[in-house]
Amino acid sequence: LRPGQRARDLAGKEGGRGGVGAGGGEAQEEEAPPGGEVDERGSLAVLGRNGVGKSTLLLTIMGYTNLMRGSVRWKGQDISRLASHRRAQLGIGWVAQEREVFPSLSVEENLTVAARPGRWTLKEVFHLFPRLEERKGNMGNQLSGGEQQMLAIARALMTNPALLLLDEPLEGLAPIIVEELAASLKNLDGMATVLVEQHTAAEDGEVVAITSEGATFRSVENGPREREEFEVDWDDEAAEKHGYETFMLK
């Protein structure tokens, strides 16, 4: 990611085609989808079924996998070997699929424990998520699933990242909470975002979709897509019908 430019292969094989190979510990190498192109304040949604490598892509960008091939580049710098906390210090924020709030800390303490100076302050995140202000004295384990997800996103925002990675933030939530969170995600201006979801993009922006067979397609025009589009195993003809073009074939 470079200011004022587009980021190619945020996590990808040098040469621009293919993905990264990554694994954890003694795990077998897993194929992650290729990184897309993200404007400095743009958004990218990576969509696909379970097991196609969406979360692995984000974990690899954050440095939580063993990178076996390919590279991760940030603002022109190869950060493939940097520790995860150093990547966070460089401006990459991450909202884990498991939320991982601190259960024994209050909402306010969760928000301030890793806060850094910038636009996103307690006042700003409370404005974005009014429920958190109402529960700022509650412990992390006293929140509902939806409130914990709000807290996880708000805590990442408090680090004032240049890039925010969101791993299935809408998973398992009640429809009314999904609508509330999706509306909030549209207000995350001033940074680049990469959103991983199974079916539906929560915001406008470029969409990359990965099929269970490993083929990868990207949207021709930016904008939200309907859930039904991601319930099928696409081929080139089906992808074109839904407004996508071939990005990479495994």
Side-chain angles (χ1 to χ4, degrees):
L1 186 66
R2 297 192 298 273
Q5 300 183 23
R6 297 177 66 81
R8 287 186 177 271
D9 295 327
L10 188 60
K13 183 185 294 184
E14 292 184 6
R17 189 169 179 83
V20 295
E26 300 298 323
Q28 186 176 6
E29 180 177 355
E30 180 176 350
E31 190 78 20
E37 298 181 355
V38 188
D39 286 323
E40 184 182 12
R41 291 178 174 82
S43 63
L44 172 70
V46 182
L47 309 179
R49 295 179 177 179
N50 283 332
V52 299
K54 307 182 308 296
S55 293
T56 300
L57 174 65
L58 299 193
L59 290 168
T60 302
I61 293 171
M62 282 305 302
Y64 288 114
T65 62
N66 296 324
L67 190 64
M68 298 175 180
R69 58 186 173 83
S71 64
V72 180
R73 305 188 68 84
W74 173 251
K75 297 183 178 180
Q77 176 187 359
D78 189 339
I79 61 170
S80 303
R81 303 305 170 191
L82 277 187
S84 299
H85 72 278
R86 289 286 297 118
R87 302 184 195 204
Q89 290 170 351
L90 289 175
I92 304 178
W94 179 51
V95 180
Q97 186 176 5
E98 299 81 9
R99 299 164 189 157
E100 297 184 354
V101 303
F102 297 110
S104 60
L105 297 184
S106 69
V107 167
E108 186 167 346
E109 289 169 337
N110 265 278
L111 292 172
T112 57
V113 68
R116 292 205 299 266
R119 173 202 165 181
W120 290 101
T121 62
L122 276 175
K123 179 180 178 181
E124 289 295 323
V125 297
F126 284 157
H127 179 73
L128 185 66
F129 298 117
R131 291 191 188 205
L132 295 183
E133 184 171 20
E134 296 170 3
R135 291 158 175 74
K136 63 182 179 181
N138 289 52
M139 298 296 109
N141 60 3
Q142 295 176 322
L143 304 179
S144 69
E147 290 165 350
Q148 287 187 3
Q149 189 63 74
M150 294 175 191
L151 179 56
I153 295 172
R155 183 180 59 188
L157 290 175
M158 289 286 287
T159 67
N160 282 284
L163 169 67
L164 182 63
L165 310 175
L166 300 120
D167 195 350
E168 299 199 28
L170 309 179
E171 181 188 22
L173 301 180
I176 190 171
I177 301 298
V178 169
E179 291 181 10
E180 186 176 344
L181 268 174
S184 297
L185 292 177
K186 291 181 180 180
N187 294 320
L188 299 184
D189 54 352
M191 72 184 75
T193 58
V194 177
L195 170 74
V196 157
E197 272 293 347
Q198 289 194 44
H199 301 289
T200 306
E203 56 186 319
D204 292 343
E206 185 175 10
V207 178
V208 170
I210 306 99
T211 73
S212 56
E213 299 300 319
T216 304
F217 303 97
R218 63 182 171 193
S219 55
V220 177
E221 296 182 2
N222 292 347
R225 297 296 189 273
E226 296 299 325
R227 179 186 182 95
E228 296 77 28
E229 294 187 16
F230 306 105
E231 299 290 353
V232 297
D233 287 323
W234 283 348
D235 54 21
D236 285 353
E237 183 177 350
E240 184 177 354
K241 176 182 176 182
H242 289 293
Y244 287 76
E245 62 185 0
T246 301
F247 186 28
M248 185 189 80
L249 293 177
K250 188 172 181 180

